[in-house]
Amino acid sequence: MDLPTAVKSYQFGERAKSGLIMISQLSIALTGFSEQERAGGKRMLLLMMESVRSELQFALRDTGQQDFLKAINALSDAISIVEGNQPEQATERIAVAISASTTPAQEAWQVLTEHGLL
């Protein structure tokens, strides 16, 4: 991996990981919402999920790292699960997305460390 790709992969991977962790926590929290709150909470969660997926798509296009595609696919699955009113079950697919988005960041970290940049 060249240095420009390493910098971008690290940045995209860490940013995606943060967003995905937040989404996972919100998915779990949504199960505790009252019926009146649940519809609005679900809409907001889905908007956030779409935003993170868009970031992952940009990361894939900009770096070519296929692990970002794995994260996109897992997050798309999670979105479908939330749309089906089962947010607590979406956390498994979100965990897969976190793992996939962390891989390019870890590989980039190694390259950046070898070049004395971290």
Side-chain angles (χ1 to χ4, degrees):
M1 178 183 305
D2 62 18
L3 283 177
T5 302
V7 170
K8 291 184 276 187
S9 295
Y10 185 78
Q11 179 184 7
F12 286 131
E14 288 298 314
R15 193 155 127 184
K17 180 177 72 172
S18 294
L20 289 163
I21 289 170
M22 214 177 329
I23 287 168
S24 179
Q25 292 170 341
L26 292 172
S27 294
I28 294 167
L30 187 59
T31 63
F33 284 18
S34 70
E35 283 299 316
Q36 295 171 323
E37 298 172 320
R38 196 165 294 155
K42 177 182 164 184
R43 279 197 307 264
M44 293 303 292
L45 176 59
L46 288 169
L47 286 170
M48 188 169 186
M49 293 173 94
E50 293 286 349
S51 177
V52 172
R53 183 169 60 181
S54 177
E55 289 282 332
L56 285 165
Q57 290 167 338
F58 185 73
L60 174 63
R61 281 192 307 271
D62 202 32
T63 68
Q65 295 284 330
Q66 292 302 302
D67 285 303
F68 288 127
L69 179 59
K70 291 177 188 173
I72 291 165
N73 291 337
L75 185 53
S76 293
D77 292 345
I79 289 170
S80 295
I81 292 168
V82 170
E83 288 173 337
N85 294 318
Q86 298 173 321
E88 68 283 352
Q89 294 179 8
T91 57
E92 180 183 326
R93 298 305 300 159
I94 295 167
V96 171
I98 291 169
S99 178
S101 65
T102 301
T103 300
Q106 182 179 0
E107 292 170 358
W109 181 83
Q110 290 172 341
V111 170
L112 295 170
T113 300
E114 288 170 4
H115 286 86
L117 297 172
L118 288 180

